[in-house]
Amino acid sequence: MRYVMKGGNPLAGEVTISGAKNAALGILAAAIMSDETVTIENLPDVRDVAVLLDAFREIGVLVDRVDRHTVKLNGGNIFTACADNPSIRKIRAGYYLLGALLGKYHHAEVAMPGGCNIGTRPIDQHLKGFRLLGAVHENNNSRVILDAKDLHGAHIYLDMASVGATINLMLAASLARGTTIIENAAKEPHIVDVANMLNSMGAKIKGAGMDVIRITGVEKLHGTEYTIIPDQIEAGTFMMAAAVTKGDVTVKRIIPQHMDAISAKLLEMGCEVIEQGDSIRVVGRPTLYSCNVKTLPYPGFPTDMQPQMGVALCLAEGVGTITESIFENRFKYVDELSKMGADTEVKGSIAIFKGSGPLKGAELVAPDLRAGAALVLAGLAAEGITVVDQVDYVLRGYEDFDKKLQGLGAEIRLAETDEDVKKIKFQIS
Ligand code: UD1
């Protein structure tokens, strides 16, 4: 799949942000820990969610997709604690089934996690935590197998504030005997959302959103109805789209506080950023100014917004840098930007952007999910036509990305075949 676009239109108007993908994946896993029905609203309609729901069906979860953004799940008929199919191997968040199934059945067998190739992405912190909770772990046929005779509370210190490990351990510890303390926990908005969801099912989790989370295990979790928070990264991507196309975009139905690190950088770069209730309006200016950015765990600048920021720095006046401190392999998109005429250099974990002025349309390949979205922003800011290949990555995490951009005035279409690409190029040029 490819996106074909013609750059140059300043994006303008309003865009409604979908539910948070990364929160949804944790929340779906939490939902199957109850034998009662759980209703989840504001579910984003993205591929990663569809894949996880398919994996649920295969182990016996009753999945009722009430409408595009609502699902009812019932985990009362699960017949196996083994989740392994080709799809689950493609997504990262399959690993949440480890915590969910271990908590509920004291046994879990899950295909090794896949996801974007943005670094080695080990799961040693998840496994360390599970072991401390009483599980024995082995790897077999590239599956992670966990087994616990007695799942009990534990004091767990994470070596790094891992989002995945924090969620996975909250899941398992919610049904463990006694109290678990997770120190150096991740604080991302979706950690808080998963904790709130588990608490609405009867779990006892305190401190989510802070460095130390305390979980008192309960006997069982009951049904609930829960609405997922808005997607911080989707919102940030559209805010950046306004900046790079010198447009005027209002992102609606968001939690502005989650956007603070991104808003601060856009202000520093000379954009106008106006908070209005549950919306933020970003007005791009004729000149963007460079800045230095370092990715950090929340509330720092999110690594998932790093490539989009890289595009903005290509178009800014002066020299800007990005220091990537979370994943070691997240600058692959920089080579793609060079094809558009960007003057950039990567030295280890630092990328240097020498604000090179206008980008030129080019044939690009998306190296991963967020970088794919960033290359689309580059194409919309560039002169002429850009084709971004391998956008299946983007579809994993952005709902209706092309349609939402079209709603803001972007010339962008999704193409499946070479013929489609030719036709769209002809129509939009
Ligand atoms: C999640 C998000 C991803 C986001 C990332 C950081 C999901 C499905 N994915 O990924 O979009 O980019 O948070 O905000 O929610 N680490 C270890 N050992 C572990 C776990 C992590 O060394 O056991 C390292 C990782 O390699 C990385 C850092 O810790 O360098 C942070 O990773 P983590 O927060 O766990 O990211 P994910 O949960 O994989």
Side-chain angles (χ1 to χ4, degrees):
M1 299 273 242
R2 279 163 279 182
Y3 281 134
V4 184
M5 71 211 80
K6 185 180 173 195
N9 292 358
L11 300 191
E14 296 184 340
V15 58
T16 301
I17 299 306
S18 301
K21 171 188 82 99
N22 288 346
L25 298 168
I27 283 170
L28 289 171
I32 66 165
M33 294 178 74
S34 173
D35 283 344
E36 296 174 17
T37 298
V38 171
T39 305
I40 298 165
E41 289 171 346
N42 203 28
L43 188 71
D45 189 10
V46 294
R47 291 234 176 126
D48 275 12
V49 163
V51 169
L52 194 59
L53 291 177
D54 279 345
F56 283 3
R57 287 187 188 95
E58 291 199 11
I59 61 170
V61 178
L62 299 179
V63 179
D64 175 10
R65 198 78 185 248
V66 179
D67 60 39
R68 200 173 171 205
H69 299 123
T70 311
V71 69
K72 279 184 195 287
L73 298 172
N74 187 299
N77 291 313
I78 292 176
F79 56 79
T80 172
C82 174
D84 187 358
N85 63 48
S87 335
I88 198 88
R89 287 179 183 269
K90 287 192 198 136
I91 64 166
R92 185 86 192 139
Y95 60 26
Y96 290 142
L97 284 167
L98 286 171
L101 296 172
L102 180 70
K104 191 173 180 189
Y105 301 110
H106 294 193
H107 183 81
E109 283 188 47
V110 180
M112 282 296 276
C116 285
N117 180 14
I118 51 178
T120 46
R121 307 188 81 174
I123 59 163
D124 57 302
Q125 300 302 303
H126 306 230
L127 298 176
K128 173 179 84 176
F130 291 140
R131 277 197 299 270
L132 289 166
L133 293 174
V136 179
H137 147 244
E138 63 172 294
N139 282 341
N140 196 350
N141 291 331
S142 60
R143 274 186 205 155
V144 181
I145 304 174
L146 296 168
D147 201 57
K149 284 200 175 60
D150 173 33
L151 203 65
H152 52 75
H155 196 128
I156 303 165
Y157 184 91
L158 296 179
D159 295 346
M160 71 284 297
S162 158
V163 170
T166 304
I167 290 180
N168 238 338
L169 297 172
M170 286 196 309
L171 292 169
S174 289
L175 288 178
R177 182 177 52 76
T179 299
T180 296
I181 294 168
I182 306 174
E183 291 209 58
N184 196 26
K187 295 180 276 197
E188 270 66 7
H190 43 294
I191 303 282
V192 180
D193 210 31
V194 175
N196 287 343
M197 148 73 174
L198 281 162
N199 284 342
S200 80
M201 296 171 76
K204 291 193 175 150
I205 303 176
K206 285 190 180 156
M210 294 191 270
D211 294 311
V212 182
I213 300 180
R214 177 183 286 267
I215 304 145
T216 307
V218 295
E219 288 259 309
K220 60 180 182 174
L221 296 168
H222 55 70
T224 188
E225 287 182 10
Y226 194 80
T227 303
I228 296 171
I229 54 165
D231 197 303
Q232 176 207 27
I233 305 302
E234 189 198 10
T237 303
F238 280 99
M239 287 165 70
M240 211 54 86
V244 300
T245 63
K246 307 185 197 321
D248 181 347
V249 173
T250 301
V251 290
K252 285 175 36 180
R253 250 188 31 212
I254 58 161
I255 300 174
Q257 189 203 338
H258 293 169
M259 310 311 302
D260 282 352
I262 297 153
S263 298
K265 282 294 160 194
L266 286 172
L267 283 168
E268 199 179 324
M269 295 178 87
C271 297
E272 226 180 305
V273 180
I274 308 147
E275 269 186 39
Q276 299 156 322
D278 66 353
S279 304
I280 294 184
R281 179 176 167 205
V282 177
V283 186
R285 290 282 167 231
T287 308
L288 273 176
Y289 299 100
S290 279
C291 64
N292 299 315
V293 179
K294 184 172 184 182
T295 64
L296 287 169
Y298 189 81
F301 192 89
T303 173
D304 282 1
M305 281 300 299
Q306 187 261 96
Q308 301 86 318
M309 176 53 97
V311 173
L313 290 179
C314 285
L315 298 160
E317 209 175 87
V319 178
T321 62
I322 297 182
T323 306
E324 172 57 59
S325 72
I326 312 286
F327 292 111
E328 72 269 25
N329 198 9
R330 224 172 179 177
F331 285 134
K332 282 185 274 177
Y333 70 94
V334 172
D335 288 340
E336 300 300 301
L337 292 176
S338 307
K339 294 181 192 164
M340 306 180 90
D343 188 356
T344 57
E345 199 183 336
V346 176
K347 285 187 182 165
S349 62
I350 302 179
I352 303 157
F353 300 85
K354 298 165 197 158
S356 39
L359 295 171
K360 305 244 177 320
E363 306 270 328
L364 309 174
V365 181
D368 60 68
L369 162 57
R370 304 302 172 185
L375 294 180
V376 169
L377 299 196
L380 296 176
E383 290 168 356
I385 295 205
T386 294
V387 180
V388 183
D389 201 352
Q390 277 183 202
V391 298
D392 305 66
Y393 278 123
V394 180
L395 306 178
R396 282 186 35 205
Y398 288 86
E399 178 177 316
D400 291 341
F401 196 43
D402 51 341
K403 292 195 186 74
K404 289 187 182 183
L405 288 167
Q406 284 160 8
L408 298 170
E411 290 265 29
I412 180 169
R413 315 256 180 91
L414 191 59
E416 286 200 29
T417 61
D418 289 346
E419 275 303 300
D420 290 346
V421 173
K422 258 195 229 158
K423 200 163 100 190
I424 297 168
K425 276 187 179 174
F426 175 74
Q427 286 170 348
I428 63 177
S429 59

